Amino acid sequence: MSDAATLSGRVRSRRPRFSPAPLLGVATVLGLLAALEALIRTGLVSPFVVPPPSTVLLAGIDLLWHGNGLEALLATAFELLSAAVLVGLIGLSVGTLLYRVTALRRTYEGWVAALAATPLVLVYPFFLVMFGRSAATIVAVGVVAGLPPMVLRTIEGFAGVRPVLVDVGRALNLRPVRVFWSIEFPAALPVIFSGFRLGLGFALINIVGMEFLINYGGLGQLINEHAELYDLPETYACIALVVVVSAVFVAASEHLERRLRG
Amino acid sequence: MTSPEPSAPVPPLSGDTSAVVGWTAALRVMNVTKRFHTGREIVTAVDDVSFDVREGEFLSVIGPSGCGKSTLFKIIGGLLGGFSGEVRVGGRSIQGPHRDIGMVFQEESTFPWRSVLDNVAFPLEASGMGRAERLDRAAHFVSLVGLKGFERRFPSELSGGMRQRVAIARTLAFNPKILLMDEPFAALDEQTRYLLGDKVLQIQQATKQTTLLITHNIGEAVQLSDRVLVMTYRPGRIKAVVEVDLPRPRSDDVITSDAFARHVAGLWRNLKEEASRGLAESEALVSGGAG
Amino acid sequence: MAQGASLAAVVAVWAAVVNARLFPGDIVPSPAAVAGRIVGLALSADFYGHLRVTAAEIAGGLALAAVAGILLGVAIGARPLLRRAYEPWLHYLAPTPKIVFFPVMLMLFGVGAASKVSLATLGAFFPIVLGTISGVREMDPVLVQVGRGFALSPYRMLTMVYVPAIRAALVNAVRLGFGVAVVVVLLAETKLSSAGIGYLIIDAYRHFDMPLLAALVLVLFGLAILANAGLARLARHGAPAVSR
């Protein structure tokens, strides 16, 4: 890399130098798993409390291939998708309304922020009474959990639009509706989207948690059933599957957000 | 649309050089006064300011920071109401933003979610022009400001100077009668400022675009203007009108000429007192706040 | 004033919904019935017993998570190599639903309070360790050099440099951890327990006592808001100085 290029500051991305860090991370995780395996094999840890990681891995593959692992995964994904659509639509409308109507915003923005700090999921017995043990209850809990960040970030996004951008629209004599859709909304979109992503994360956590609690639906139910049958390798495999799904989901939404930000 | 201001004699206004005949006023600012109420205090930002911008002329308003230049900019652009006096375009008093005035803002004002081309096409899109036509027209203005080849880039990929050129092209694409700019180069470094200034100069000379520039930069004002209005520090009044008689067309080496230096020195003598007063008052404010 | 008015508006809408019978049966209880139950809860010694159980489980889990999270967070955050090796893993593990680990905790620690405390520890650990790492990353490196210059022991480095330097970040991290701990403890109590607010809630659901259910949830929300506001104050004004 030439000095001139460095000085001009035009070169944005340079080839990453080799770093041992990611390797160390992977090695540590594999090492911990190997140590656990060794402890169980030598009898220091009872396999009836923690099954050996290799057994868990095989059980996981078996669940996905022959068992109902994939089916459960799809059920959870469908619930998440439904909740995502609702969180997006409701959150955007409520957030926009609170932003536009100053009187409403003054009184209720604090309420939303306060609600975000409460264990909102605990309203789930109400949904159970209303919808019974069904996907509707699970989706409703997901929506309730995902809404506060979406609403708060929507308000924040609109409030953070730089006034000069709105002035550009006003100087062109655009109607307020036009200014909103052509300028304010796209300008606020990155922040709104980050709230959506945050809300989706909360929704996923609570959807799987709810499946576990009411023993219905996808991956959460699978964990519950295997735990009650004391199928330890399958239980751990399902937990690992949930971890993988949520990690993949977080990575995917981060990737999407980076793409959207350009 | 094209009802020219009659060049008939106009009543003499303070700071006005309308005794000259043979020109038409594209924009008239008449006895504009703007007061702000800040708590218990009333600050007069603009005090009885009157001037004309002639058709095809490049006029600069120069003054120290805090002299009410930006307030004046917003009033003329129709973004700020609640003032006394009148702003006339094409003989009619304006209420709110006007189609004939195109504004370029001091702050970064490109839309980060639109490409260079789509940024420039924005006002055309808003006025309902067809896609092919507006992109064609936008491409012309993109190349006019020297950004050919960058049409598909996004503002985040450009330098500050390039972004400001996009903003200027966006305003020019709307074909305003009067180009109104508020310190468009303020955020740029000195060298970029002169180069971009020259770009604007060449465009303005080629198109005879009527332009009103608000600035605090003396060199910039001399480089670009036919006339310079000097404003006083708080309350903002017109203190002097200076003709810049550097020959046109001016090229990019105008800033190295002796005449340029003479004009800069002359303007500085006019401004020095105001700038010092502004500095002293802001320092008094700081020490008052500390004490 | 405005808050009072908005509260009155919400209660009025609530009462109107109940009167109009928008929901079938007795799903949504009337504000009066719920208010009665809230007063009833406030006057019963039994309620405070359950509250103590839940609070102790949350506090225990949070304390363990804070110790582990802050120690590991400083150890990892202070070294760029470790930070790059482990932060991504923690980052991706953090947003998994912790409640699914409940069967594991039940096997390891039994059905009593220990399973809830361990679950709360697991839940609160991630936001605390991640908050600590980012706090250490953003602190002025010159402070560490000053500490090194005085040849401080690792313990003194931690208590005299790192913790006071990133106090605001730590309080915020603990605040996030507190939120997670509250949720997982209460959910675990609704799944399997014989004491705690979560147990009361699921018990009210089983007996279809909707006014009590609503009363419990509202009281719980109120307490969570108060606790959160308290922690937020701590972050704003700085934690009280610890005298040695």
Side-chain angles (χ1 to χ4, degrees):
Chain A
M1 180 150 159
S2 72
D3 283 348
T6 321
L7 281 175
S8 76
R10 265 197 218 129
V11 181
R12 304 188 122 239
S13 61
R14 51 168 136 169
R15 182 195 288 269
R17 276 185 304 129
F18 171 75
S19 160
L23 222 57
L24 176 63
V26 174
T28 308
V29 171
L30 290 179
L32 285 174
L33 289 176
L36 186 64
E37 181 99 19
L39 283 175
I40 297 165
R41 300 251 173 221
T42 54
L44 283 168
V45 171
S46 161
F48 297 109
V49 174
V50 186
S54 58
T55 321
V56 172
L57 184 68
L58 290 176
I61 292 170
D62 195 53
L63 259 178
L64 280 178
W65 232 248
H66 306 293
N68 46 3
L70 199 62
E71 201 183 308
L73 207 151
L74 289 176
T76 302
F78 177 72
E79 289 159 1
L80 180 64
L81 193 69
S82 317
V85 171
L86 289 172
V87 165
L89 290 179
I90 302 174
L92 193 62
S93 325
V94 172
T96 308
L97 188 74
L98 286 186
Y99 171 69
R100 305 296 298 191
V101 186
T102 319
L104 282 181
R105 181 179 169 193
R106 277 214 196 102
T107 33
Y108 291 109
E109 190 180 7
W111 283 54
V112 179
L115 275 182
T118 64
L120 263 181
V121 217
L122 264 291
V123 300
Y124 83 86
F126 278 108
F127 292 130
L128 272 179
V129 174
M130 267 189 258
F131 305 124
R133 266 183 62 236
S134 68
T137 294
I138 295 171
V139 171
V141 169
V143 171
V144 162
L147 270 180
M150 177 75 189
V151 171
L152 290 175
R153 295 289 276 173
T154 299
I155 298 173
E156 206 181 311
F158 282 126
V161 175
R162 293 190 302 115
V164 69
L165 297 185
V166 175
D167 277 350
V168 170
R170 288 178 60 208
L172 291 169
N173 226 347
L174 301 186
R175 278 174 299 128
V177 181
R178 187 84 203 221
V179 172
F180 178 77
W181 284 113
S182 302
I183 297 177
E184 291 182 273
F185 184 65
L189 200 59
V191 179
I192 294 177
F193 190 81
S194 81
F196 183 58
R197 195 168 71 73
L198 217 58
L200 238 49
F202 288 168
L204 177 67
I205 292 176
N206 286 287
I207 281 171
V208 176
M210 212 35 55
E211 288 172 347
F212 169 76
L213 284 175
I214 70 173
N215 194 31
Y216 185 94
L219 289 172
Q221 184 194 23
L222 215 54
I223 294 170
N224 193 47
E225 281 179 358
H226 286 295
E228 276 175 2
L229 294 172
Y230 216 66
D231 294 336
L232 285 190
E234 281 79 8
T235 307
Y236 279 87
C238 287
I239 293 175
L241 211 54
V242 169
V243 173
V244 169
V245 166
S246 88
V248 166
F249 171 78
V250 172
S253 61
E254 276 177 356
H255 181 74
L256 184 67
E257 193 176 352
R258 265 199 300 275
R259 287 285 294 275
L260 279 182
R261 276 169 187 261
Chain B
M1 228 44 187
T2 49
S3 61
E5 173 80 356
S7 55
V10 285
L13 299 161
S14 60
D16 189 343
T17 54
S18 55
V20 187
V21 283
W23 50 267
T24 322
L27 175 84
R28 309 199 69 182
V29 175
M30 301 161 80
N31 308 97
V32 166
T33 299
K34 173 72 187 174
R35 296 193 172 85
F36 288 106
H37 300 257
T38 59
R40 286 158 295 167
E41 248 184 310
I42 297 174
V43 176
T44 306
V46 179
D47 190 13
D48 195 26
V49 166
S50 300
F51 61 87
D52 289 353
V53 184
R54 303 168 190 171
E55 197 99 17
E57 161 182 63
F58 198 119
L59 179 72
S60 290
V61 174
I62 195 168
S65 299
C67 74
K69 300 189 298 284
S70 286
T71 305
L72 191 60
F73 167 79
K74 288 200 166 161
I75 287 174
I76 297 172
L79 295 182
L80 193 63
F83 60 92
S84 65
E86 216 180 335
V87 177
R88 286 190 177 190
V89 176
R92 287 208 194 90
S93 177
I94 64 161
Q95 318 286 338
H98 197 279
R99 168 75 185 76
D100 288 351
I101 297 177
M103 301 174 81
V104 175
F105 297 84
Q106 173 177 1
E107 303 123 285
E108 173 65 53
S109 71
T110 52
F111 299 130
W113 62 89
R114 283 178 170 247
S115 68
V116 167
L117 195 64
D118 287 340
N119 255 291
V120 177
F122 179 84
L124 308 174
E125 191 182 327
S127 68
M129 189 183 280
R131 188 182 152 76
E133 194 187 351
R134 70 171 183 254
L135 290 186
D136 210 49
R137 194 173 159 78
H140 166 72
F141 281 95
V142 169
S143 72
L144 186 69
V145 296
L147 287 176
K148 202 173 175 56
F150 291 91
E151 288 89 349
R152 295 270 146 243
R153 299 298 190 90
F154 283 82
S156 60
E157 300 173 288
L158 307 178
S159 68
M162 290 160 98
R163 284 201 287 265
Q164 200 54 287
R165 275 190 272 172
V166 173
I168 292 170
R170 182 176 61 190
T171 304
L172 288 176
F174 204 48
N175 194 22
K177 288 226 175 64
I178 299 139
L179 179 63
L180 176 61
M181 299 195 283
D182 182 21
E183 311 229 15
F185 315 129
L188 308 177
D189 66 78
E190 187 74 9
Q191 291 139 39
T192 310
R193 179 194 286 261
Y194 277 122
L195 290 175
L196 198 45
D198 185 59
K199 192 95 221 165
V200 168
L201 182 65
Q202 299 315 324
I203 293 171
Q204 193 266 338
Q205 285 178 159
T207 59
K208 298 271 181 280
Q209 171 73 55
T210 309
T211 308
L212 175 57
L213 172 75
I214 311 274
T215 183
H216 66 256
N217 187 296
I218 302 172
E220 191 174 290
V222 174
Q223 178 192 14
L224 300 174
S225 311
D226 296 306
R227 289 188 302 151
V228 180
L229 304 186
V230 180
M231 271 182 87
T232 58
Y233 178 82
R234 213 168 279 171
R237 294 195 187 106
I238 303 281
K239 180 182 185 182
V241 183
V242 179
E243 300 269 346
V244 180
D245 52 6
L246 297 173
R248 283 191 185 264
R250 296 172 195 164
S251 68
D252 58 352
D253 52 16
V254 65
I255 58 171
T256 54
S257 66
D258 290 342
F260 179 86
R262 261 202 316 283
H263 274 101
V264 168
L267 268 177
W268 174 236
R269 273 193 296 278
N270 251 315
L271 256 173
K272 194 159 80 180
E273 184 194 337
E274 300 307 321
S276 313
R277 207 150 60 78
L279 188 66
E281 274 184 34
S282 59
E283 277 173 359
L285 215 64
V286 169
S287 59
Chain C
M1 189 57 179
Q3 288 296 328
S6 62
L7 185 65
V10 168
V11 172
V13 169
W14 176 10
V17 165
V18 173
N19 283 333
R21 304 212 155 272
L22 285 183
F23 291 93
D26 309 315
I27 292 179
V28 180
S30 72
V34 174
R37 290 313 187 93
I38 291 178
V39 173
L41 283 177
L43 296 176
S44 85
D46 201 33
F47 170 73
Y48 294 103
H50 287 288
L51 183 59
R52 247 196 309 280
V53 170
T54 300
E57 286 165 355
I58 294 171
L62 192 60
L64 287 173
V67 170
I70 292 172
L71 283 178
L72 265 174
V74 170
I76 294 173
R79 293 167 187 78
L81 176 70
L82 297 188
R83 205 165 62 209
R84 265 178 281 145
Y86 300 132
E87 200 180 356
W89 286 88
L90 294 168
H91 179 67
Y92 286 114
L93 286 179
T96 55
K98 296 302 168 314
I99 188 70
V100 300
F101 290 87
F102 192 43
V104 175
M105 300 308 178
L106 285 173
M107 285 175 225
L108 292 175
F109 303 107
V111 294
S115 59
K116 281 94 188 172
V117 171
S118 54
L119 199 62
T121 309
L122 182 68
F125 169 76
F126 286 97
I128 295 177
V129 74
L130 284 171
T132 308
I133 290 175
S134 83
V136 171
R137 185 177 48 216
E138 271 145 40
M139 74 184 264
D140 191 346
V142 80
L143 298 175
V144 176
Q145 285 159 20
V146 170
R148 292 241 175 82
F150 287 119
L152 296 185
S153 67
Y155 172 74
R156 292 258 178 223
M157 276 299 277
L158 182 72
T159 56
M160 295 177 71
V161 179
Y162 283 109
V163 170
I166 60 170
R167 191 171 57 192
L170 287 183
V171 176
N172 272 326
V174 170
R175 200 173 144 202
L176 288 177
F178 169 76
V180 179
V182 169
V183 170
V184 292
V185 162
L186 285 158
L187 287 184
E189 284 177 352
T190 66
K191 181 77 181 174
L192 188 62
S193 72
S194 54
I197 304 292
Y199 166 76
L200 288 182
I201 287 177
I202 209 66
D203 202 45
Y205 162 68
R206 286 202 193 101
H207 293 103
F208 205 73
D209 190 344
M210 300 315 280
L212 180 60
L213 182 53
L216 283 165
V217 169
L218 285 181
V219 167
L220 183 64
F221 284 7
L223 291 173
I225 291 171
L226 281 181
N228 195 61
L231 285 170
R233 265 179 89 90
L234 214 58
R236 262 203 307 280
H237 302 298
V242 182
S243 53
R244 280 176 304 273

